[in-house]
Amino acid sequence: MRLIGAGPLTQVVERIFAAGGCGAEEAGRIARHLVDSNLCGHDSHGVVRTRRYIDFLRAGTVFPGRSADLVFDGGSLLVVDGQFGFGQTIGEQATDLLAERAKAHGIALVTIRRSGHLGRLGDWAERLAGHGLVSLHFLNTTGLGLMVTPFGGSDRRLSPSPMAVCVPVEGRDPILLDITTAMTAEGKLLVAKNKGEPVGPGIIVDKAGQPTTDPADFYAGGAILPFGGHRGAGLNILTDILSGALSGGGCTAPGVTVLENTMTSIAIDVNRLPDHAAYTTEILRFCDWVKGSPPADPAAPVLLPGEVEAATRRRRAAEGIPVDDATWGDIRAAAASVGLPESEIEAMVPA
């Protein structure tokens, strides 16, 4: 394990994608999004994805320089085709368009199909919060992400299907709920596998449908369980429909060999409310009331959704981002695959 500053780590990842064929602007964009996921503690969607993204790029299943193509414009209802471009580019373009339309109409929806991996879902929620917009997001992986059992089932039938809801709060960090409807994101299993650590009980099953805590069992044909039993499974199915069916990209299905994300995002311009001041006051009152509950553990105060990530981002920005040896090895392998010598990559990261 090593601690790497966000700046040097971003430069390393940016250099890799530039050498892989991305333009300078796109390479920087991908690197910033991946490193920011690490900063806020979502290592599953951070630089651990570098090698996979490069593998997708070299295999021709994701393409540099692609833009979001607006294929249906209904004013406040938009359909975007990502043309298998990098999700960090497609996501930025689509959410910025959504912000523009939400401000024009009060509420708007964009649904995206055929996008490369869109990364941490909370990224797009936070981007809209920066515009002062409340947002809801639903995402699926169409079939290459076929890795979750339905409630009562034992094999892979569903995607992890994350969802997010974000409410900006004046003068404070936004309230952000960013969750997978499975017990864990696949990337967290990859991080645990790289570290040689077990996962908790009740998260995954092996290829025979039996409980296990070894993440290697998942990669040998096992599956992730939905969270909360039938409740999580129900949210998973509806998330898949709202993203896959609504976008036209398709719900989760077997036989898919290319990673394709679909995402539906809804943005609400609360600044158009007739009494915005009362709305803001009520949020602050309610949040303070919730957080004022005496903690069951004095060392663990009551937190709002998103507070852990905000605190982690501040801490890691100051102390550095922990990168395990296996993940760093994958980053070096990605660099080598695009012709960058190991010495150049190591020189970019202070010992």
Side-chain angles (χ1 to χ4, degrees):
M1 183 74 71
R2 61 171 71 189
L3 284 174
I4 304 176
L9 189 56
T10 301
Q11 291 173 1
V12 166
V13 177
E14 181 176 355
R15 182 75 182 90
I16 291 171
F17 283 101
C22 294
E25 184 178 349
E26 184 164 62
R29 182 184 303 117
I30 295 167
R32 288 192 302 275
H33 278 279
L34 292 182
V35 171
D36 187 65
S37 290
N38 287 106
L39 278 172
C40 67
H42 288 264
D43 295 328
S44 59
H45 288 68
V47 297
V48 73
R49 299 274 175 173
T50 303
R51 185 173 181 178
R52 284 189 181 180
Y53 282 14
I54 290 295
D55 288 344
F56 293 153
L57 182 61
R58 290 168 59 82
T61 58
V62 67
F63 300 92
R66 296 283 173 92
S67 297
D69 181 22
L70 183 60
V71 295
F72 175 76
D73 187 345
S76 62
L77 177 61
L78 309 166
V79 181
V80 163
D81 191 312
Q83 304 186 85
F84 291 106
F86 276 96
Q88 288 73 21
T89 295
I90 305 306
E92 281 197 4
Q93 293 173 349
T95 51
D96 287 350
L97 177 60
L98 176 61
E100 174 189 314
R101 296 301 177 90
K103 290 177 181 179
H105 297 279
I107 185 169
L109 179 152
V110 64
T111 186
I112 307 168
R113 64 187 183 221
R114 299 205 315 157
S115 173
H117 189 253
L118 282 155
R120 182 176 69 94
L121 193 56
D123 249 353
W124 314 119
E126 288 179 331
R127 192 174 184 88
L128 290 166
H131 289 279
L133 301 171
V134 170
S135 63
L136 301 87
H137 306 261
F138 308 92
L139 182 145
N140 89 345
T141 52
T142 64
L144 195 64
L146 193 71
M147 57 184 67
V148 180
T149 67
F151 178 67
S154 61
D155 66 349
R156 299 184 178 199
R157 298 274 165 158
L158 304 171
S159 296
S161 297
M163 60 180 296
V165 182
C166 188
V167 176
V169 182
E170 291 182 15
R172 300 187 184 182
D173 292 321
I175 302 170
L176 171 61
L177 178 68
D178 177 8
I179 58 170
T180 176
T181 53
M183 282 296 294
T184 188
E186 180 272 333
K188 294 186 185 299
L189 298 177
L190 180 61
V191 170
K193 179 174 174 288
N194 283 348
K195 292 180 178 179
E197 297 176 351
V199 297
I203 293 176
I204 56 175
V205 293
D206 63 20
K207 63 183 179 181
Q210 297 303 305
T212 179
T213 59
D214 185 351
D217 288 337
F218 167 78
Y219 293 100
I224 306 171
L225 296 169
F227 87 83
H230 67 280
R231 297 173 181 85
L235 284 173
N236 182 296
I237 290 166
L238 289 170
T239 294
D240 210 318
I241 290 171
L242 287 172
S243 51
L246 205 59
S247 68
C251 297
T252 300
V256 177
T257 58
V258 175
L259 177 66
E260 174 187 353
N261 273 176
T262 71
M263 180 172 75
T264 293
S265 298
I266 302 166
I268 305 165
D269 185 3
V270 293
N271 295 301
R272 295 166 66 104
L273 291 172
D275 195 344
H276 183 259
Y279 162 82
T280 301
T281 299
E282 180 60 11
I283 289 177
L284 295 174
R285 182 208 64 79
F286 177 63
C287 290
D288 290 343
W289 162 251
V290 173
K291 287 177 64 63
S293 177
D297 177 356
V302 174
L303 298 174
L304 297 171
E307 286 192 317
V308 169
E309 288 84 351
T312 302
R313 181 183 277 127
R314 289 189 286 268
R315 185 180 71 253
R316 288 188 171 186
E319 299 175 356
I321 294 168
V323 179
D324 64 81
D325 291 343
T327 297
W328 184 245
D330 282 346
I331 290 172
R332 292 190 332 206
S337 74
V338 294
L340 296 177
E342 181 177 330
S343 59
E344 179 178 339
I345 294 301
E346 290 287 351
M348 297 173 71
V349 179

